[in-house]
Amino acid sequence: MNKTWNNKAWFMVLPVLLLVAFNAVIPLMTVVNYSVQETFGNNLFFFEGVKWFREVLHSDRFHDSLLRQFFFTGTILAIEIPLGVIIALAMPRQGFWVPVCLVLMALPLLVPWNVVGAMWNIFALPDIGLMGYSINALGIDFNFTRQPASAWFTVIIMDVWHWTSLVVLLAYAGLRSIPDAYYQAARIDSASRWAVFRYIQLPKMKRVLTIAVLLRFMDSFMIYTEPFVLTGGGPGNTTTILSIDLVKAALGEFNLGIAAAMSIIYFLMTLLVCWVFYSAMMRGEDE
Amino acid sequence: MDLTWMAWTWQTASFFAAIALMIAGMAVWEWARPGGAPRHGVLGLDTTRGDRLFVSLLSSAYIHLGWLALMTGPLWWATLISFVFAIAVFRWV
């Protein structure tokens, strides 16, 4: 049988291509161009080869902010994923309280990022903020504008407050998709609570949890506004994570070459992580 | 159209041209010898030819960065390693 081939549908892809070209490809090309040159402004550029890449890769400042970034991302993942699953398990499965819980959970997600930063900034102030004042009243010396540990504690708890809900909602959706028959079978076999979780709920949540980890990893890896508003990377440089360091280099010091090289390395890291998660998800789908 | 703000150099232009050529080459290859359907490789993943190109390009970026970070010799060595690596990726991944 002769098949009619009609490739006109490819033209439908054109708008997307144009959009991606303007908001991703062209800016990215520009960053690549900047990363191999030195500029003193006024669109005057001098070719420098891979000098900036070598400099960034050997700079302690970059290593430190990368380490801080991994510490931040690792910590919030270690807290948010288990906490989100626990809350999702504790949420009612039917009845009046379901929508109430869902709306309550969705609330933090609706707050704009800079507002979250400003809120927690005030909340954690040692003299007038409720949290900062209470902690100090307990006899613990807490001042996030001066002590690195307090600053880290505030940044992490802020992110946990803002984003655990996302994990909860995803995990809850995963739980809701488990048919009752599974639970009935578990009851017949008199399975323990742990066995139900380990062999029914966790495998069924695997896919959504992969998505949750991916989303939280990417978001936390690119997070800027909240920690910037809260601590501005301080005290000193102690909470300067990658994105804050990058903006400092690009806009604070106007080191376009170094900032561009940093951006590309940063981009390659996110690209690799995306690919790994994507492959893991595709593999999970096959199984 | 004034493109001075994009600060093009012939080096970066040839870099992007090479990537565009690779993608065009993939299209020609598929047209001449179809065979881009997914295949199960050593990583346990189903990859198409396009996936393999992506993996090759991404790993070549890391090979070059790794060379810059750890070695002192000319960067062309990293390019050579990437090329050999890409062949391996297309053969086995």
Side-chain angles (χ1 to χ4, degrees), chain A residues 132-171:
Chain A
Y133 186 83
S134 313
I135 294 178
N136 276 298
L138 291 173
I140 302 164
D141 188 23
F142 176 91
N143 188 336
F144 76 92
T145 57
R146 264 189 252 140
Q147 301 150 341
S150 307
W152 270 104
F153 175 77
T154 319
V155 168
I156 285 168
I157 204 166
M158 172 183 66
D159 197 80
V160 169
W161 175 82
H162 197 184
W163 291 109
T164 304
S165 313
L166 180 76
V167 183
V168 173
L169 294 178
L170 284 168

Side-chain angles (χ1 to χ4, degrees), chain A residues 225-260:
Chain A
T225 320
E226 296 151 291
F228 180 74
V229 175
L230 183 68
T231 65
N237 271 335
T238 44
T239 55
T240 302
I241 46 177
L242 266 186
S243 59
I244 295 183
D245 200 22
L246 179 59
V247 175
K248 270 185 189 167
L251 302 177
E253 300 151 18
F254 215 68
N255 264 330
L256 285 192
I258 287 202

Side-chain angles (χ1 to χ4, degrees), chain A:
Chain A
M1 197 182 82
N2 275 332
K3 253 189 188 169
T4 332
W5 289 97
N6 184 346
N7 276 329
K8 273 187 196 143
W10 284 107
F11 286 107
M12 305 287 180
V13 187
L14 263 183
V16 177
L17 266 182
L18 273 178
L19 194 73
V20 172
F22 274 98
N23 73 12
V25 179
I26 291 175
L28 192 65
M29 282 175 160
T30 314
V31 170
V32 171
N33 290 342
Y34 284 3
S35 71
V36 293
Q37 298 180 84
E38 165 80 291
T39 178
F40 301 107
N42 217 7
N43 278 341
L44 268 179
F45 291 93
F46 306 93
F47 188 72
E48 291 279 12
V50 288
K51 179 182 159 191
W52 301 132
F53 286 95
R54 197 168 263 144
E55 210 161 282
V56 168
L57 288 168
H58 287 106
S59 95
D60 290 335
R61 175 179 156 177
F62 180 72
H63 296 165
D64 290 346
S65 46
L66 187 63
L67 268 181
R68 284 190 285 262
Q69 183 66 61
F70 278 119
F71 174 73
F72 174 72
T73 299
T75 313
I76 63 116
L77 279 180
I79 299 174
E80 286 174 18
I81 302 293
L83 186 65
V85 171
I86 291 171
I87 296 176
L89 286 171
M91 271 171 52
R93 247 179 290 173
Q94 48 204 342
F96 168 75
W97 289 104
V98 173
V100 176
C101 287
L102 286 178
V103 169
L104 276 179
M105 278 297 137
L107 271 182
L109 299 174
L110 301 176
V111 184
W113 298 39
N114 50 347
V115 177
V116 172
M119 256 166 60
W120 279 83
N121 191 324
I122 296 167
F123 189 50
L125 279 178
D127 40 3
I128 55 163
L130 182 62
M131 183 179 92
Y133 186 83
S134 313
I135 294 178
N136 276 298
L138 291 173
I140 302 164
D141 188 23
F142 176 91
N143 188 336
F144 76 92
T145 57
R146 264 189 252 140
Q147 301 150 341
S150 307
W152 270 104
F153 175 77
T154 319
V155 168
I156 285 168
I157 204 166
M158 172 183 66
D159 197 80
V160 169
W161 175 82
H162 197 184
W163 291 109
T164 304
S165 313
L166 180 76
V167 183
V168 173
L169 294 178
L170 284 168
Y172 188 70
L175 283 175
R176 285 290 292 264
S177 70
I178 305 174
D180 267 341
Y182 282 79
Y183 293 111
Q184 286 161 7
R187 264 201 299 277
I188 291 168
D189 291 342
S190 58
S192 66
R193 182 72 195 81
W194 168 251
V196 170
F197 175 70
R198 174 68 189 80
Y199 297 106
I200 298 176
Q201 291 169 322
L202 199 58
K204 286 282 171 190
M205 279 194 292
K206 197 177 136 203
R207 176 83 62 78
V208 284
L209 283 183
T210 315
I211 297 173
V213 172
L214 174 64
L215 285 176
R216 282 316 302 134
F217 185 96
M218 299 309 293
D219 263 351
S220 67
F221 214 70
M222 298 187 292
I223 191 169
Y224 175 74
T225 320
E226 296 151 291
F228 180 74
V229 175
L230 183 68
T231 65
N237 271 335
T238 44
T239 55
T240 302
I241 46 177
L242 266 186
S243 59
I244 295 183
D245 200 22
L246 179 59
V247 175
K248 270 185 189 167
L251 302 177
E253 300 151 18
F254 215 68
N255 264 330
L256 285 192
I258 287 202
M262 264 176 81
S263 312
I264 290 170
I265 297 171
Y266 198 172
F267 171 68
L268 286 171
M269 283 191 273
T270 40
L271 202 58
L272 177 67
V273 173
C274 273
W275 182 79
V276 168
F277 275 105
Y278 175 76
S279 309
M281 266 162 68
M282 286 295 134
R283 232 175 128 168
E285 218 159 73
D286 294 341
E287 278 162 11

Side-chain angles (χ1 to χ4, degrees), chain B residues 66-84:
Chain B
W67 187 274
L68 284 178
L70 306 170
M71 307 297 220
T72 46
L75 199 56
W76 290 110
W77 283 107
T79 314
L80 195 71
I81 297 171
S82 309
F83 196 70
V84 174

Side-chain angles (χ1 to χ4, degrees), chain B residues 9-85:
Chain B
T9 62
W10 67 264
Q11 290 91 342
T12 47
S14 20
F15 168 74
F16 284 114
I19 291 183
L21 272 180
M22 275 181 215
I23 295 172
M26 297 291 286
V28 174
W29 183 16
E30 186 64 35
W31 171 76
R33 285 187 185 192
R39 153 194 100 181
H40 207 68
V42 283
L43 290 179
L45 299 169
D46 290 335
T47 53
T48 62
R49 278 179 186 163
D51 293 331
R52 275 167 249 149
L53 178 69
F54 176 77
V55 173
S56 312
L57 287 176
L58 188 60
S59 32
S60 87
Y62 275 93
I63 290 169
H64 281 85
L65 286 181
W67 187 274
L68 284 178
L70 306 170
M71 307 297 220
T72 46
L75 199 56
W76 290 110
W77 283 107
T79 314
L80 195 71
I81 297 171
S82 309
F83 196 70
V84 174
F85 192 82

